[in-house]
Amino acid sequence: MNVPMDLKDITSNSSGTTYVEYNGGRNTRTLRGIDNLQLGRNVKMGPEATISWTQVTNQPNIPTLPSYISATKITQTTIESPSIFGGTIAIGSGNKVLKADSNGVYLGNASFANAPFKVTMDGKLTALDGTFKGMIDGSIITGGIIRTADSGTSRLELSGNGLISRNELSEKNGVVIDSGNFSSVDFYYKDQRRGSLEQTAGNLALTTTQGSIIVEAALYSSTLFRGKVDFSGATVIGVVATFG
């Protein structure tokens, strides 16, 4: 006989005999001698029946998840953790890879030594090209050419040959300083040399390719010459000699 009942109606006495009380109509009946009730075998729970963990005897041991595991989350596409420790991190394959290991961080090659971009553990950066914004602060900057602006705009270019001022057409325009053994400061206008101050064989020469050289002191100041002044190869005009 199948009789619906609540689990709260099931009790046991000290001898281990189980009693089930149910309401079969007018009278309440008591069934005796039903032993070894097992949930899921000879006892079925109704659709709205409940049982709490405290009502379970001989509770199995359920291990507690350690905090360091509960703080880490791994899904099909992500790994989330406050700290991740490991030997090597690699994204990509072959030489199209970004890697981080005991050498540092590098990309563009599977080998740290051959990577076009890399940063060592002590902070040394190697790169083939780049664009930087803001301030660059360093005691030594080594490179082929340092430009103050891109091509197409007026700029200064500093290289091992010296300093060149260029206009937006990349013509020499302004001051050009030659850093050779016989160095000079040249003055250009649209790629045309207009004059220079040159050091050659121990001499210092101020020359012009067109126009005059004007030496002028400020108002109420003087132009002074010291040492020997040689006019033997010159034509002097407009000079009134005053002695004494």
Side-chain angles (χ1 to χ4, degrees):
M1 178 178 63
N2 295 325
V3 179
M5 63 188 72
D6 294 331
L7 288 178
K8 65 182 180 180
D9 298 328
I10 301 175
T11 58
S12 298
N13 61 14
S14 58
S15 63
T17 302
T18 303
Y19 299 87
V20 180
E21 294 184 359
Y22 69 98
N23 191 342
R26 296 180 180 178
N27 300 319
T28 299
R29 301 177 182 178
T30 300
L31 301 179
R32 302 175 182 275
I34 304 176
D35 298 324
N36 298 322
L37 293 178
Q38 295 183 9
L39 187 63
R41 187 177 69 84
N42 53 13
V43 176
K44 296 182 180 180
M45 296 182 64
E48 298 182 359
T50 61
I51 186 171
S52 66
W53 181 251
T54 57
Q55 292 175 294
V56 179
T57 59
N58 299 323
Q59 297 175 351
N61 179 37
I62 300 178
T64 303
L65 193 65
S67 59
Y68 67 88
I69 295 180
S70 61
T72 300
K73 178 182 178 182
I74 301 177
T75 69
Q76 291 181 341
T77 57
T78 63
I79 299 177
E80 300 176 13
S81 179
S83 300
I84 298 177
F85 298 91
T88 301
I89 298 176
I91 302 175
S93 61
N95 288 329
K96 294 183 179 181
V97 63
L98 183 151
K99 299 179 72 174
D101 55 26
S102 59
N103 294 308
V105 178
Y106 52 104
L107 57 86
N109 196 286
S111 168
F112 181 84
N114 299 323
F117 179 91
K118 55 191 171 185
V119 182
T120 64
M121 286 297 189
D122 55 359
K124 293 180 180 179
L125 170 66
T126 300
L128 296 183
D129 199 355
T131 300
F132 298 89
K133 295 183 179 180
M135 182 180 68
I136 299 177
D137 187 6
S139 57
I140 298 176
I141 299 177
T142 303
I145 297 177
I146 298 177
R147 295 188 177 99
T148 57
D150 291 333
S151 300
T153 58
S154 299
R155 62 194 182 277
L156 291 176
E157 295 181 353
L158 178 64
S159 67
N161 296 322
L163 176 69
I164 301 176
S165 174
R166 296 188 184 275
N167 59 17
E168 63 277 3
L169 299 178
S170 295
E171 299 170 330
K172 293 179 180 178
N173 195 70
V175 177
V176 175
I177 301 176
D178 181 16
S179 62
N181 291 331
F182 300 103
S183 57
S184 64
V185 178
D186 299 316
F187 305 94
Y188 279 81
Y189 175 72
K190 293 185 177 181
D191 253 358
Q192 297 179 8
R193 182 172 170 270
R194 296 298 178 89
S196 63
L197 180 64
E198 301 176 85
Q199 182 275 125
T200 57
N203 297 320
L204 187 64
L206 177 62
T207 60
T208 180
T209 59
Q210 61 182 18
S212 303
I213 297 176
I214 300 174
V215 179
E216 181 179 356
L219 184 64
Y220 307 117
S221 298
S222 302
T223 300
L224 305 177
F225 295 90
R226 290 188 174 90
K228 182 180 179 180
V229 179
D230 185 0
F231 295 99
S232 59
T235 300
V236 180
I237 61 174
V239 175
V240 178
T242 300
F243 302 94

